[in-house]
mmCIF file of all heavy atoms in Angstrom:
data_model
loop_
_atom_site.group_PDB
_atom_site.id
_atom_site.type_symbol
_atom_site.label_atom_id
_atom_site.label_comp_id
_atom_site.label_asym_id
_atom_site.label_seq_id
_atom_site.Cartn_x
_atom_site.Cartn_y
_atom_site.Cartn_z
ATOM 1 N N SER A 201 -24.053 -6.455 5.050
ATOM 2 C CA SER A 201 -23.058 -6.136 6.071
ATOM 3 C C SER A 201 -22.013 -7.231 6.167
ATOM 4 O O SER A 201 -22.341 -8.418 6.261
ATOM 5 C CB SER A 201 -23.744 -5.962 7.428
ATOM 6 O OG SER A 201 -22.780 -5.907 8.467
ATOM 7 N N ILE A 202 -20.747 -6.840 6.205
ATOM 8 C CA ILE A 202 -19.661 -7.806 6.349
ATOM 9 C C ILE A 202 -19.761 -8.535 7.680
ATOM 10 O O ILE A 202 -19.377 -9.706 7.796
ATOM 11 C CB ILE A 202 -18.291 -7.090 6.193
ATOM 12 C CG1 ILE A 202 -17.193 -8.100 5.864
ATOM 13 C CG2 ILE A 202 -17.965 -6.254 7.424
ATOM 14 C CD1 ILE A 202 -15.886 -7.456 5.437
ATOM 15 N N LYS A 203 -20.325 -7.867 8.692
ATOM 16 C CA LYS A 203 -20.460 -8.495 10.012
ATOM 17 C C LYS A 203 -21.542 -9.565 10.017
ATOM 18 O O LYS A 203 -21.530 -10.468 10.866
ATOM 19 C CB LYS A 203 -20.753 -7.446 11.089
ATOM 20 C CG LYS A 203 -19.626 -6.475 11.312
ATOM 21 C CD LYS A 203 -19.728 -5.784 12.665
ATOM 22 C CE LYS A 203 -19.495 -6.742 13.812
ATOM 23 N NZ LYS A 203 -19.334 -6.062 15.108
ATOM 24 N N ASN A 204 -22.468 -9.479 9.085
ATOM 25 C CA ASN A 204 -23.514 -10.499 8.987
ATOM 26 C C ASN A 204 -23.168 -11.605 8.002
ATOM 27 O O ASN A 204 -23.970 -12.500 7.773
ATOM 28 C CB ASN A 204 -24.844 -9.850 8.596
ATOM 29 C CG ASN A 204 -25.402 -8.985 9.712
ATOM 30 O OD1 ASN A 204 -25.072 -9.177 10.883
ATOM 31 N ND2 ASN A 204 -26.235 -8.025 9.358
ATOM 32 N N GLY A 205 -21.960 -11.515 7.421
ATOM 33 C CA GLY A 205 -21.501 -12.573 6.527
ATOM 34 C C GLY A 205 -21.520 -12.238 5.054
ATOM 35 O O GLY A 205 -21.226 -13.104 4.223
ATOM 36 N N ALA A 206 -21.833 -11.006 4.684
ATOM 37 C CA ALA A 206 -21.791 -10.618 3.268
ATOM 38 C C ALA A 206 -20.347 -10.560 2.783
ATOM 39 O O ALA A 206 -19.416 -10.359 3.575
ATOM 40 C CB ALA A 206 -22.473 -9.268 3.066
ATOM 41 N N LYS A 207 -20.165 -10.722 1.471
ATOM 42 C CA LYS A 207 -18.826 -10.668 0.874
ATOM 43 C C LYS A 207 -18.855 -9.827 -0.395
ATOM 44 O O LYS A 207 -19.762 -9.984 -1.218
ATOM 45 C CB LYS A 207 -18.346 -12.071 0.485
ATOM 46 C CG LYS A 207 -18.078 -13.009 1.635
ATOM 47 C CD LYS A 207 -17.592 -14.348 1.095
ATOM 48 C CE LYS A 207 -17.366 -15.359 2.197
ATOM 49 N NZ LYS A 207 -16.912 -16.667 1.647
ATOM 50 N N ALA A 208 -17.883 -8.949 -0.542
ATOM 51 C CA ALA A 208 -17.693 -8.245 -1.809
ATOM 52 C C ALA A 208 -16.871 -9.173 -2.698
ATOM 53 O O ALA A 208 -15.678 -9.372 -2.466
ATOM 54 C CB ALA A 208 -16.983 -6.917 -1.587
ATOM 55 N N LEU A 209 -17.505 -9.763 -3.700
ATOM 56 C CA LEU A 209 -16.860 -10.809 -4.482
ATOM 57 C C LEU A 209 -15.975 -10.285 -5.600
ATOM 58 O O LEU A 209 -14.868 -10.756 -5.809
ATOM 59 C CB LEU A 209 -17.929 -11.728 -5.101
ATOM 60 C CG LEU A 209 -18.783 -12.556 -4.143
ATOM 61 C CD1 LEU A 209 -19.768 -13.388 -4.939
ATOM 62 C CD2 LEU A 209 -17.918 -13.455 -3.267
ATOM 63 N N LEU A 210 -16.478 -9.300 -6.341
ATOM 64 C CA LEU A 210 -15.793 -8.883 -7.555
ATOM 65 C C LEU A 210 -16.176 -7.453 -7.887
ATOM 66 O O LEU A 210 -17.330 -7.059 -7.713
ATOM 67 C CB LEU A 210 -16.199 -9.816 -8.711
ATOM 68 C CG LEU A 210 -15.404 -9.738 -10.004
ATOM 69 C CD1 LEU A 210 -13.978 -10.241 -9.802
ATOM 70 C CD2 LEU A 210 -16.086 -10.557 -11.097
ATOM 71 N N VAL A 211 -15.208 -6.685 -8.352
ATOM 72 C CA VAL A 211 -15.467 -5.310 -8.787
ATOM 73 C C VAL A 211 -14.788 -5.066 -10.129
ATOM 74 O O VAL A 211 -13.815 -5.739 -10.480
ATOM 75 C CB VAL A 211 -14.960 -4.271 -7.763
ATOM 76 C CG1 VAL A 211 -15.736 -4.329 -6.473
ATOM 77 C CG2 VAL A 211 -13.466 -4.452 -7.492
ATOM 78 N N SER A 212 -15.307 -4.105 -10.862
ATOM 79 C CA SER A 212 -14.690 -3.752 -12.139
ATOM 80 C C SER A 212 -13.359 -3.050 -11.926
ATOM 81 O O SER A 212 -12.441 -3.157 -12.742
ATOM 82 C CB SER A 212 -15.629 -2.853 -12.936
ATOM 83 O OG SER A 212 -15.926 -1.677 -12.186
ATOM 84 N N ASP A 213 -13.236 -2.335 -10.808
ATOM 85 C CA ASP A 213 -12.030 -1.551 -10.545
ATOM 86 C C ASP A 213 -12.031 -1.143 -9.078
ATOM 87 O O ASP A 213 -13.085 -0.842 -8.507
ATOM 88 C CB ASP A 213 -12.019 -0.290 -11.434
ATOM 89 C CG ASP A 213 -10.802 0.584 -11.171
ATOM 90 O OD1 ASP A 213 -9.748 0.320 -11.778
ATOM 91 O OD2 ASP A 213 -10.898 1.516 -10.354
ATOM 92 N N MET A 214 -10.860 -1.187 -8.444
ATOM 93 C CA MET A 214 -10.733 -0.643 -7.082
ATOM 94 C C MET A 214 -9.367 0.024 -6.963
ATOM 95 O O MET A 214 -8.582 -0.259 -6.068
ATOM 96 C CB MET A 214 -10.948 -1.723 -6.022
ATOM 97 C CG MET A 214 -10.111 -2.961 -6.140
ATOM 98 S SD MET A 214 -10.435 -4.086 -4.743
ATOM 99 C CE MET A 214 -9.346 -5.452 -5.192
ATOM 100 N N PHE A 215 -9.107 0.939 -7.889
ATOM 101 C CA PHE A 215 -7.805 1.580 -7.999
ATOM 102 C C PHE A 215 -7.433 2.334 -6.718
ATOM 103 O O PHE A 215 -6.292 2.281 -6.266
ATOM 104 C CB PHE A 215 -7.805 2.540 -9.187
ATOM 105 C CG PHE A 215 -6.468 3.172 -9.455
ATOM 106 C CD1 PHE A 215 -5.533 2.520 -10.238
ATOM 107 C CD2 PHE A 215 -6.150 4.414 -8.927
ATOM 108 C CE1 PHE A 215 -4.290 3.099 -10.486
ATOM 109 C CE2 PHE A 215 -4.903 4.994 -9.167
ATOM 110 C CZ PHE A 215 -3.971 4.336 -9.952
ATOM 111 N N PHE A 216 -8.399 3.037 -6.119
ATOM 112 C CA PHE A 216 -8.091 3.896 -4.985
ATOM 113 C C PHE A 216 -8.352 3.251 -3.622
ATOM 114 O O PHE A 216 -7.783 3.694 -2.625
ATOM 115 C CB PHE A 216 -8.895 5.209 -5.074
ATOM 116 C CG PHE A 216 -8.433 6.112 -6.186
ATOM 117 C CD1 PHE A 216 -9.219 6.309 -7.302
ATOM 118 C CD2 PHE A 216 -7.220 6.762 -6.119
ATOM 119 C CE1 PHE A 216 -8.802 7.152 -8.334
ATOM 120 C CE2 PHE A 216 -6.792 7.601 -7.141
ATOM 121 C CZ PHE A 216 -7.588 7.799 -8.247
ATOM 122 N N SER A 217 -9.205 2.236 -3.574
ATOM 123 C CA SER A 217 -9.549 1.676 -2.267
ATOM 124 C C SER A 217 -10.153 0.289 -2.431
ATOM 125 O O SER A 217 -10.547 -0.109 -3.526
ATOM 126 C CB SER A 217 -10.510 2.601 -1.511
ATOM 127 O OG SER A 217 -11.580 3.016 -2.333
ATOM 128 N N ASP A 218 -10.242 -0.418 -1.335
ATOM 129 C CA ASP A 218 -10.613 -1.828 -1.347
ATOM 130 C C ASP A 218 -12.114 -2.046 -1.518
ATOM 131 O O ASP A 218 -12.928 -1.272 -1.008
ATOM 132 C CB ASP A 218 -10.152 -2.483 -0.044
ATOM 133 C CG ASP A 218 -10.297 -3.987 -0.066
ATOM 134 O OD1 ASP A 218 -9.430 -4.661 -0.637
ATOM 135 O OD2 ASP A 218 -11.299 -4.491 0.478
ATOM 136 N N LYS A 219 -12.470 -3.137 -2.181
ATOM 137 C CA LYS A 219 -13.876 -3.454 -2.452
ATOM 138 C C LYS A 219 -14.670 -3.720 -1.179
ATOM 139 O O LYS A 219 -15.872 -3.458 -1.127
ATOM 140 C CB LYS A 219 -13.972 -4.672 -3.371
ATOM 141 C CG LYS A 219 -13.454 -5.979 -2.793
ATOM 142 C CD LYS A 219 -13.489 -7.094 -3.827
ATOM 143 C CE LYS A 219 -13.136 -8.458 -3.250
ATOM 144 N NZ LYS A 219 -11.786 -8.510 -2.652
ATOM 145 N N ASN A 220 -14.019 -4.233 -0.130
ATOM 146 C CA ASN A 220 -14.733 -4.571 1.103
ATOM 147 C C ASN A 220 -15.166 -3.343 1.899
ATOM 148 O O ASN A 220 -16.031 -3.449 2.778
ATOM 149 C CB ASN A 220 -13.874 -5.474 1.992
ATOM 150 C CG ASN A 220 -13.880 -6.915 1.518
ATOM 151 O OD1 ASN A 220 -14.927 -7.476 1.235
ATOM 152 N ND2 ASN A 220 -12.710 -7.511 1.420
ATOM 153 N N ASN A 221 -14.581 -2.177 1.613
ATOM 154 C CA ASN A 221 -14.992 -0.961 2.330
ATOM 155 C C ASN A 221 -16.480 -0.681 2.159
ATOM 156 O O ASN A 221 -17.130 -0.123 3.046
ATOM 157 C CB ASN A 221 -14.196 0.247 1.847
ATOM 158 C CG ASN A 221 -12.738 0.190 2.272
ATOM 159 O OD1 ASN A 221 -12.371 -0.557 3.171
ATOM 160 N ND2 ASN A 221 -11.903 0.965 1.615
ATOM 161 N N LEU A 222 -17.017 -1.067 1.023
ATOM 162 C CA LEU A 222 -18.425 -0.795 0.703
ATOM 163 C C LEU A 222 -19.376 -1.399 1.724
ATOM 164 O O LEU A 222 -20.460 -0.871 1.958
ATOM 165 C CB LEU A 222 -18.722 -1.351 -0.698
ATOM 166 C CG LEU A 222 -20.054 -0.994 -1.355
ATOM 167 C CD1 LEU A 222 -20.131 0.496 -1.644
ATOM 168 C CD2 LEU A 222 -20.228 -1.798 -2.634
ATOM 169 N N ILE A 223 -18.984 -2.512 2.355
ATOM 170 C CA ILE A 223 -19.900 -3.243 3.240
ATOM 171 C C ILE A 223 -19.424 -3.257 4.692
ATOM 172 O O ILE A 223 -19.886 -4.053 5.496
ATOM 173 C CB ILE A 223 -20.117 -4.684 2.722
ATOM 174 C CG1 ILE A 223 -18.800 -5.448 2.620
ATOM 175 C CG2 ILE A 223 -20.814 -4.640 1.363
ATOM 176 C CD1 ILE A 223 -18.966 -6.905 2.220
ATOM 177 N N MET A 224 -18.504 -2.347 5.028
ATOM 178 C CA MET A 224 -17.993 -2.252 6.396
ATOM 179 C C MET A 224 -19.010 -1.591 7.320
ATOM 180 O O MET A 224 -19.912 -0.881 6.869
ATOM 181 C CB MET A 224 -16.693 -1.453 6.403
ATOM 182 C CG MET A 224 -15.490 -2.232 5.919
ATOM 183 S SD MET A 224 -15.004 -3.495 7.122
ATOM 184 C CE MET A 224 -13.658 -4.278 6.233
ATOM 185 N N PRO A 225 -18.859 -1.779 8.642
ATOM 186 C CA PRO A 225 -19.759 -1.110 9.598
ATOM 187 C C PRO A 225 -19.533 0.400 9.619
ATOM 188 O O PRO A 225 -18.475 0.892 9.228
ATOM 189 C CB PRO A 225 -19.357 -1.722 10.944
ATOM 190 C CG PRO A 225 -18.536 -2.915 10.636
ATOM 191 C CD PRO A 225 -17.905 -2.664 9.303
ATOM 192 N N GLY A 226 -20.524 1.125 10.115
ATOM 193 C CA GLY A 226 -20.400 2.560 10.334
ATOM 194 C C GLY A 226 -20.325 3.365 9.051
ATOM 195 O O GLY A 226 -20.379 2.825 7.948
ATOM 196 N N ARG A 227 -20.181 4.670 9.200
ATOM 197 C CA ARG A 227 -19.971 5.545 8.052
ATOM 198 C C ARG A 227 -18.478 5.675 7.807
ATOM 199 O O ARG A 227 -17.665 5.546 8.732
ATOM 200 C CB ARG A 227 -20.587 6.924 8.280
ATOM 201 C CG ARG A 227 -22.093 6.905 8.438
ATOM 202 C CD ARG A 227 -22.672 8.306 8.339
ATOM 203 N NE ARG A 227 -22.777 8.742 6.950
ATOM 204 C CZ ARG A 227 -23.063 10.002 6.590
ATOM 205 N NH1 ARG A 227 -23.241 10.922 7.520
ATOM 206 N NH2 ARG A 227 -23.163 10.335 5.322
ATOM 207 N N GLY A 228 -18.091 5.936 6.580
ATOM 208 C CA GLY A 228 -16.676 6.066 6.254
ATOM 209 C C GLY A 228 -16.026 7.200 7.020
ATOM 210 O O GLY A 228 -16.612 8.269 7.202
#
Side-chain angles (χ1 to χ4, degrees):
S201 169
I202 199 169
K203 295 200 68 169
N204 291 337
K207 293 181 183 179
L209 295 180
L210 192 68
V211 293
S212 58
D213 178 86
M214 53 177 178
F215 185 86
F216 290 110
S217 48
D218 189 80
K219 65 185 187 300
N220 282 312
N221 290 343
L222 190 65
I223 58 175
M224 283 289 177
R227 297 193 79 190

